Amino acid sequence: PDVLVAAAVTIVGLRGQDRPQPWLTKTFTVEEAVETIGFGRFHIALFLIMGSTGVAEAMEIMLIAVVSPLIRCEWQLHDWQVALVTTMVFFGYMVFSIVLGLLADRYGRWKILLLSFLWGAYFSLLTSFAPSYIWFVFLRTMVGGGVSGHAQGLIIKTEFLPTKYRGYMLPLSQVFWLAGSLLIIGLASVVNPTIGWRWLIRIASIPGIILILVFKFIPESARYNVSTGNTAAALATLRRIAKINRAAMPEGVLQEPPKERRGRFKDLIHPKYLRTTLQIWIIWLGIAFAYYGVILASAELLERDLSCGSTAPLGEDPGPVSEESRSPCHCHPFGPSAYQTMIISTAGEIALNPVNILGINFLGRRLSLCITMGCTALFFLLLNICTSSAGMTGFLFMLRALVSANFNTIYIYTAEVYPTTMRALGMGTSGSLCRVGAMVAPFISQVLMSASFLGALCLFSSVCVVCAISAFTLPIETKGRALQVCIATPGVPA
């Protein structure tokens, strides 16, 4: 009997071993899978495709700067009317940024990104047929709404990149924004004087249309899928990435509880994130105010030729004064030298990229942003110094480099500081506040600057100082920190 009992116990024990016991089964999270798979060919393709969204966005946003002199002439617009075009573009961006961020946290980043490109391309093409100034303003407002969804491309990149590569790869995305800016200026210098601004808008829509066709190669964020309980889709995506990168998946079973609380506004003002959110909003608003202030001030300086009070184009003979140049609408299209100066100053956007990357990774996000914002304030004041054409171009070059570095850093910080359940909403609301600054900038650069050049520069500089202080006092440093899944509660892991 004792032998039979022992045999029965052994058989039962062996049968029990056929089933993996819950407490013995290895599990892993998306964060652990991303870190185990590492960086590889998938991430390079992701960087090129999602980064290219910056080309389309830059072309649509920078378009106003190179088209403004022409629509001013065609419809005999005053300063405030030209400024209103840019303001309304950013108004559309502001409104749709919140809505699309909310939808992205609830229905997926990829779907909203695709929708935003379809929306933007459609209304951009319609703009080229605008019969009047009112229609032009309305249609560009709709384009601004579509462009606001492009931020989902950055979120998808952030959620797929291993921690140690985020501080290097995300700032390099600035190359695509630079490419788009240079492309639209180069096209404008050829297209505007020949076949006109309407054809320039049509040509500028092409990159966005092409990108729509290649989005199918990029999957939905695995972090988003697992937060909605769709673990099978997240696992399939991670296995596909591992296969493309020729890397091994972590051992065990993908296991993360679904997060029912996603995309809620009140989470942004949760006690853990309230101070961070408010300071991020201040910084985003100030950076956009400074960035678009530099762009529009550059265009205004070139259009009005305000180099040390001279009425002549930079480095050129003023020639006879025409009726158009004496008109209250300041009808004065850009010449070759103006486009050349714009290209040089725009190229400055990548000049500090290596230094910016080193600062982000070694000094941290907060200190790096504080330093570049402080330098931006200084160079705004230096722009008031009476100097040569080359000197002014140099100041504009450095300003573009600094404001670009500011945007790089705050984009990375915002994407890293919020958890998956509210990351798109956090980015969307920040982008919305950012456009408030962008909406005000045209009236400072194109209206106040005409009345008081020094007053406008002091205002830009003061805002940058406030942002520098806010950046330095941010409560959370995200350098080297894993992306959070949800808001941590006592006794529950994030």
Side-chain angles (χ1 to χ4, degrees):
D2 293 338
V3 175
L4 292 176
V5 171
V9 170
T10 303
I11 292 172
V12 171
L14 291 173
R15 286 181 177 177
Q17 290 178 3
D18 292 339
R19 302 176 184 175
Q21 301 300 320
W23 58 86
L24 296 177
T25 302
K26 289 185 177 180
T27 62
F28 63 89
T29 63
V30 174
E31 177 74 24
E32 292 167 343
V34 168
E35 296 297 331
T36 301
I37 294 171
F39 186 85
R41 292 187 298 174
F42 168 81
H43 296 93
I44 295 174
L46 177 73
F47 175 76
L48 293 175
I49 295 175
M50 292 292 98
S52 296
T53 61
V55 175
E57 183 176 356
M59 292 183 73
E60 293 293 354
I61 296 298
M62 289 292 295
L63 186 67
I64 300 300
V66 293
V67 166
S68 291
L70 298 177
I71 63 171
R72 184 198 293 268
C73 293
E74 180 167 331
W75 289 314
Q76 289 296 293
L77 305 178
H78 292 273
D79 287 342
W80 69 269
Q81 291 173 304
V82 176
L84 184 63
V85 175
T86 307
T87 296
M88 291 306 294
V89 169
F90 292 126
F91 175 76
Y93 196 117
M94 178 187 70
V95 173
F96 281 87
S97 184
I98 297 176
V99 175
L100 295 180
L102 181 65
L103 294 176
D105 274 333
R106 293 189 178 183
Y107 301 107
R109 286 81 159 101
W110 189 91
K111 294 175 185 176
I112 298 304
L113 183 62
L114 179 62
L115 174 65
S116 69
F117 266 86
L118 290 170
W119 179 280
Y122 175 71
F123 281 102
S124 184
L125 287 173
L126 284 184
T127 305
S128 66
F129 299 99
S132 65
Y133 168 73
I134 298 298
W135 270 107
F136 184 87
V137 171
F138 171 74
L139 293 171
R140 291 313 294 180
T141 303
M142 293 296 101
V143 172
V147 169
S148 68
H150 293 190
Q152 302 309 316
L154 176 78
I155 293 176
I156 290 175
K157 281 189 296 182
T158 302
E159 295 186 338
F160 276 124
L161 279 171
T163 302
K164 70 176 182 179
Y165 289 95
R166 291 200 304 264
Y168 295 96
M169 297 303 296
L170 295 179
L172 287 177
S173 299
Q174 187 63 28
V175 173
F176 296 99
W177 179 277
L178 173 66
S181 301
L182 293 177
L183 183 57
I184 195 65
I185 295 172
L187 285 171
S189 66
V190 175
V191 176
N192 280 345
T194 53
I195 55 180
W197 62 267
R198 295 180 185 273
W199 276 103
L200 177 64
I201 294 177
R202 292 163 193 160
I203 295 172
S205 303
I206 295 175
I209 295 172
I210 294 174
L211 277 172
I212 292 172
L213 303 177
V214 299
F215 278 165
K216 64 180 181 180
F217 297 106
I218 298 300
E220 177 59 88
S221 166
R223 295 179 191 268
Y224 166 78
N225 278 331
V226 82
S227 73
T228 63
N230 193 355
T231 306
L235 185 60
T237 297
L238 293 171
R239 285 173 174 167
R240 175 186 168 192
I241 296 172
K243 182 178 180 181
I244 294 174
N245 285 3
R246 297 176 182 174
M249 285 282 291
E251 295 181 2
V253 178
L254 176 61
Q255 190 174 66
E256 285 188 33
K259 308 297 184 294
E260 296 297 332
R261 297 165 47 187
R262 302 192 317 275
R264 303 195 313 173
F265 283 104
K266 66 180 182 180
D267 288 342
L268 291 175
I269 55 175
H270 185 279
K272 181 178 179 180
Y273 290 102
L274 176 60
R275 180 181 161 190
T276 301
T277 295
L278 294 177
Q279 290 185 231
I280 283 177
W281 285 351
I282 291 172
I283 296 170
W284 271 93
L285 191 153
I287 288 177
F289 179 67
Y291 182 84
Y292 293 104
V294 172
I295 293 175
L296 296 172
S298 302
E300 197 69 11
L301 285 169
L302 295 170
E303 186 182 350
R304 293 172 178 273
D305 309 315
L306 296 176
S307 178
C308 292
S310 171
T311 57
L314 303 176
E316 297 181 7
D317 190 327
V321 179
S322 65
E323 289 297 321
E324 283 186 338
S325 63
R326 286 198 296 262
S327 76
C329 296
H330 307 292
C331 180
H332 183 69
F334 291 156
S337 62
Y339 285 116
Q340 181 181 5
T341 301
M342 288 184 74
I343 289 174
I344 293 173
S345 63
T346 301
E349 293 206 3
I350 202 173
L352 293 181
N353 223 351
V355 177
N356 187 216
I357 291 173
L358 290 175
I360 287 172
N361 287 282
F362 291 97
L363 298 179
R365 282 54 162 158
R366 294 180 299 186
L367 183 57
S368 178
L369 182 58
C370 176
I371 292 172
T372 54
M373 286 302 306
C375 291
T376 304
L378 174 62
F379 271 89
F380 262 117
L381 296 179
L382 292 177
L383 196 60
N384 189 55
I385 297 176
C386 184
T387 183
S388 63
S389 172
M392 188 182 74
T393 301
F395 286 145
L396 290 175
F397 181 90
M398 283 303 299
L399 264 175
R400 291 293 287 270
L402 288 166
V403 294
S404 173
N406 296 334
F407 253 131
N408 273 342
T409 310
I410 196 61
Y411 259 116
I412 295 172
Y413 182 86
T414 306
E416 290 179 334
V417 77
Y418 290 118
T420 302
T421 53
M422 53 190 279
R423 186 169 296 121
L425 180 60
M427 186 69 76
T429 53
S430 299
S432 181
L433 266 294
C434 160
R435 303 311 152 181
V436 173
M439 288 166 63
V440 177
F443 288 94
I444 306 302
S445 296
Q446 297 174 312
V447 180
L448 177 61
M449 190 167 283
S450 299
S452 175
F453 188 68
L454 179 59
L457 294 181
C458 286
L459 181 57
F460 281 121
S461 182
S462 299
V463 171
C464 290
V465 170
V466 172
C467 291
I469 296 172
S470 185
F472 186 74
T473 58
L474 281 167
I476 301 173
E477 173 59 70
T478 62
K479 173 190 169 187
R481 191 182 79 150
L483 293 182
Q484 306 298 296
V485 177
C486 63
I487 299 176
T489 55
V492 180

